[in-house]
Amino acid sequence: MSGRSDLAVIELAAASDVGRVRADNQDRELLAPPLIAVADGMGGHLGGGTAAGLAVDALRAAGAAATSDPTALLEALRQANRAIARAATDDPDLTGMGTTATAAVLEGGILYLVHVGDSRAYLVRDGRIIQVTEDHSVVAEMVRRGTLSADAAENHPARHVITRALGVDADIEIDALRVDLEPADVVLLCTDGLSGPVDDDGILEVIEGSATLEAAATGLVDRANAAGGPDNVTVVLARVDAVTREAAATG
Ligand code: MG
C-alpha cells in the first residue's frame, strides 16, 4: 500500500532551548526536508552534545539516499552508533556518552520513522494528537508490562533512565515505523524536555492554537520552560499537504 504521492512538506519549524536548570544544551536537531530529526545527548559535560551531534551528522550524510530508500535511515543510525562508541573509546572525556535519535522522512505521503531512546514522534491529525513512538525507558517498559500505572510513571525517580541509546552497545535495536500521511497532518519530533513537563493535551493545545508552525515551535519551548524547564528542550514540526506537481517541483 502506498501513500498519497501528492503530499509534501509545506511548512517546517524548529526551536531548541537549554531550559531553566541545565548549564548547556546537549540536544541537536536536523532540518533537511523531507528528512527531520532530534537527538538528546547524555554523558558528561562534553559527551552529550558530541554524541547527539554525531547522530545528526550521520543522518545528514544519509540525507538524499534516505529520502528514496528509508533503510538508509536505519543504516545511518547504525553508523552513528559505531561512530559514537569509537569516539568514546578514543577520548577519555567522552567516556559513557550516548544519545537518543528520532528521525523521520516525510515523502510520497508516507512517514518513515527510525527511533532509539525516549525522544518522541507525535502525529497531529483532525484536532487529535497521537504518540507514534514508544519510549525506550525503564518506566515506559514497566507501564507496557502493566507493573506501573501511567500516573505513577509521571513522577517516578527512574523516569529519565533510558534502556536504549546510540553509542552504548555494539548491537543496537532500532524501531522502524511507517505511517500513511493525510493532508494537513503535522508531525512533531521532540526531546523529553518537552514531553516530560508538558502532557500530550498541552502539546496539542499549543500546536492547535498557533497560526504558524514557527509560532508553535516557540510556544512549545515556552510551555516547557513555564513548567520549570527541567531539561534541554527541542522540537521540530513539519506539516504536509497536497501540492500540485509543478508547485512541488519549484518548491
Ligand atoms: Mg533530555
Side-chain angles (χ1 to χ4, degrees):
M1 182 175 154
S2 63
R4 280 184 50 164
S5 59
D6 62 336
L7 295 183
V9 175
I10 58 152
E11 195 183 357
L12 192 66
S16 185
D17 190 72
V18 67
R20 296 248 157 113
V21 174
R22 302 293 174 90
D24 49 9
N25 191 346
Q26 304 190 333
D27 286 355
R28 297 291 183 270
E29 73 276 3
L30 174 65
L31 284 87
L35 171 63
I36 55 176
V38 297
D40 179 351
M42 59 182 194
H45 179 59
L46 292 171
T50 302
L54 286 168
V56 164
D57 288 349
L59 287 161
R60 186 185 290 111
T67 62
S68 57
D69 175 13
T71 61
L73 282 180
L74 280 171
E75 188 44 46
L77 292 195
R78 290 194 195 102
Q79 199 183 319
N81 187 50
R82 292 190 293 269
I84 294 163
R86 202 160 45 230
T89 308
D90 291 349
D91 184 344
D93 286 342
L94 301 177
T95 301
M97 70 174 173
T99 186
T100 73
T102 302
V105 168
L106 298 85
E107 181 74 1
I110 299 168
L111 168 66
Y112 297 102
L113 272 167
V114 289
H115 164 66
V116 172
D118 67 351
S119 299
R120 289 183 178 175
Y122 287 97
L123 183 63
V124 177
R125 174 182 292 170
D126 297 333
R128 291 187 306 144
I129 186 165
I130 304 150
Q131 184 183 330
V132 182
T133 49
E134 283 186 344
D135 295 347
H136 302 141
S137 69
V138 171
V139 297
E141 286 172 9
M142 287 165 75
V143 171
R144 285 199 286 278
R145 277 200 307 271
T147 55
L148 186 72
S149 74
D151 280 349
E154 276 178 32
N155 295 307
H156 195 282
R159 65 189 180 280
H160 299 300
V161 179
I162 59 176
T163 50
R164 289 192 226 170
L166 296 180
V168 177
D169 291 313
D171 283 321
I172 182 74
E173 191 186 349
I174 302 165
D175 286 359
L177 302 154
R178 196 198 123 115
V179 179
D180 286 331
L181 291 168
E182 291 179 6
D185 278 355
V186 172
V187 173
L188 164 68
L189 306 185
C190 67
T191 58
D192 67 331
L194 177 68
S195 54
V198 185
D199 65 15
D200 292 6
D201 288 342
I203 293 171
L204 179 63
E205 190 180 291
V206 172
I207 294 172
E208 295 282 291
S210 301
T212 63
L213 291 189
E214 198 66 53
T218 310
L220 289 170
V221 167
D222 290 348
R223 182 70 71 103
N225 282 332
D231 193 3
N232 304 153
V233 53
T234 300
V235 303
V236 176
L237 288 155
R239 189 191 312 275
V240 295
D241 217 332
V243 291
T244 65
R245 216 167 267 277
E246 285 129 67
T250 55

